[in-house]
Amino acid sequence: MPTQRNPRKQRFAIIGAMVAVGLVLSGCQTDSTGNVAEAKAATQADPNAFPVTIKHAFGETTIEKEPTRVATVGWTDQDHALALGVVPVGATKITWGGNAQGSTEWFDAEIQSINAKAPVRYDDTDGVPIDEIAKTNPDLILATNSGLTEADYKKLSKFADVVAYPEAPWVTPWQTSLETVGQSLGRSSIAAQVKKETDATIAQARQDNREIQGKSMIFGYLTTTDLSQIGIYAPQDPRVSFMHDLGLVDAPSVADAIKPGEFYGQVSAERAADLKSDVFLTWAETADDMGVFAKDKLIGQVPAIASGH
């Protein structure tokens, strides 16, 4: 794996933001502290929504009544909860791509628009911060798109209901996360509306960008600290599957790089010229990084990098 930064820690906020833009309601919102504030988003639990049992990778969790203090673990659960009208009391700090508050501009704007209190942000760089989460005194912890281990799950379950990912860590599609969060919060009907409106937003984006439809892509990870390897994310990774939503398709070389059940693979930079695709998606940690990649005698041979795509 890359030596400077775990590729799993790259925060890719566009998925949560796209889901969030689908919510257009009016009235007032209940935050997860139980307070009610005037807001543009009005939500309440569906009639007879509880108790509800959610099946996940570590078994199943029964939520007996509507939670009032919701904490989140992972990447996008806080955005799903807020889009459904529930303000978390705690959420993972966005350490890559976030703002100075460890949040995102969309999330902060929504919090401000409803005059709600921002959640406590805890850092999961070194693993799930059990003690920090416990301090928020949650009655429900959402971790539908996270790296939660079974040991983490057991520790968190000692003080709150926990809803983990349905199958494997880090590969839950946004649609599944949204549906699961909706069920957990008793807001399945609102989740269905958010999905419908988000799908419409994505469909419009496809319509507005017809030139990318069917173009092949590789979603890669590069770092100047190790130019001997090229990381490639699997089709199941939410970042990649979101690009599929927008109309891009995987290049043939992607399947060869990923082992079964993995979200991420690596190939030697010596194979760079074989990684043919119309587009190579990656990011740079400094303004000079892309120049380093393009000039490197091996990585610079990635066809899409060599052609400026």
Side-chain angles (χ1 to χ4, degrees):
M1 301 293 278
T3 56
Q4 181 173 1
R5 188 183 295 274
N6 186 332
R8 198 70 253 174
K9 297 300 182 184
Q10 313 288 340
R11 300 302 191 215
F12 198 70
I14 188 171
I15 299 172
M18 286 296 293
V19 173
V21 298
L23 184 60
V24 182
L25 300 169
S26 62
C28 63
Q29 170 170 336
T30 301
D31 66 24
S32 58
T33 64
N35 297 324
V36 177
E38 292 186 2
K40 64 181 180 182
T43 72
Q44 59 183 7
D46 298 332
N48 304 314
F50 299 98
V52 61
T53 298
I54 310 294
K55 294 183 179 180
H56 51 74
F58 303 125
E60 59 182 37
T61 298
T62 298
I63 304 169
E64 296 291 346
K65 60 182 181 179
E66 182 177 1
T68 60
R69 295 184 63 84
V70 178
T72 65
V73 178
W75 289 14
T76 56
D77 288 306
Q78 73 280 350
D79 293 337
H80 294 308
L82 187 55
L84 301 184
V86 175
V87 181
V89 293
T92 304
K93 184 178 181 181
I94 309 301
T95 56
W96 178 266
N99 57 26
Q101 290 71 45
S103 182
T104 63
E105 299 307 315
W106 172 83
F107 192 94
D108 291 349
E110 289 297 299
I111 291 291
Q112 184 175 8
S113 73
I114 60 176
N115 195 29
K117 182 180 179 180
V120 172
R121 293 282 181 171
Y122 29 75
D123 194 333
D124 69 344
T125 301
D126 297 322
V128 177
I130 306 294
D131 293 340
E132 294 300 311
I133 296 172
K135 290 178 182 178
T136 68
N137 193 29
D139 53 7
L140 175 65
I141 299 170
L142 298 170
T144 69
N145 188 16
S146 70
L148 200 70
T149 66
E150 187 168 10
D152 294 331
Y153 173 77
K154 290 179 178 179
K155 291 177 182 178
L156 293 172
S157 295
K158 291 181 179 179
F159 55 83
D161 292 329
V162 183
V163 176
Y165 41 81
E167 295 181 2
W170 302 122
V171 296
T172 309
W174 70 262
Q175 297 92 332
T176 303
S177 285
L178 177 62
E179 179 182 8
T180 305
V181 171
Q183 292 174 337
S184 303
L185 299 178
R187 288 161 169 77
S188 291
S189 60
I190 301 172
Q193 179 181 346
V194 171
K195 180 181 182 301
K196 180 179 178 180
E197 297 184 7
T198 303
D199 284 339
T201 301
I202 293 172
Q204 185 62 53
R206 291 175 67 114
Q207 182 72 15
D208 294 342
N209 297 276
R210 297 182 183 180
E211 67 277 10
I212 72 170
Q213 303 308 304
K215 297 296 185 181
S216 63
M217 69 162 184
I218 295 173
F219 204 132
Y221 175 84
L222 300 174
T223 175
T224 57
T225 62
D226 184 2
L227 297 173
S228 68
Q229 299 288 331
I230 298 172
I232 297 178
Y233 290 102
Q236 298 91 334
D237 186 281
R239 287 164 288 205
V240 180
S241 63
F242 182 69
M243 295 299 108
H244 296 164
D245 291 344
L246 295 178
L248 292 165
V249 299
D250 293 319
S253 56
V254 171
D256 296 335
I258 309 298
K259 296 179 180 179
E262 296 291 331
F263 71 87
Y264 176 83
Q266 285 184 313
V267 299
S268 170
E270 295 178 352
R271 293 178 50 197
D274 298 330
L275 301 179
K276 297 178 180 179
S277 64
D278 294 315
V279 179
F280 187 92
L281 299 174
T282 188
W283 37 64
E285 298 186 38
T286 74
D288 298 326
D289 283 1
M290 283 309 301
V292 174
F293 300 144
K295 293 177 182 177
D296 185 78
K297 64 180 181 179
L298 294 179
I299 290 178
Q301 295 181 35
V302 173
I305 293 179
S307 61
H309 296 154

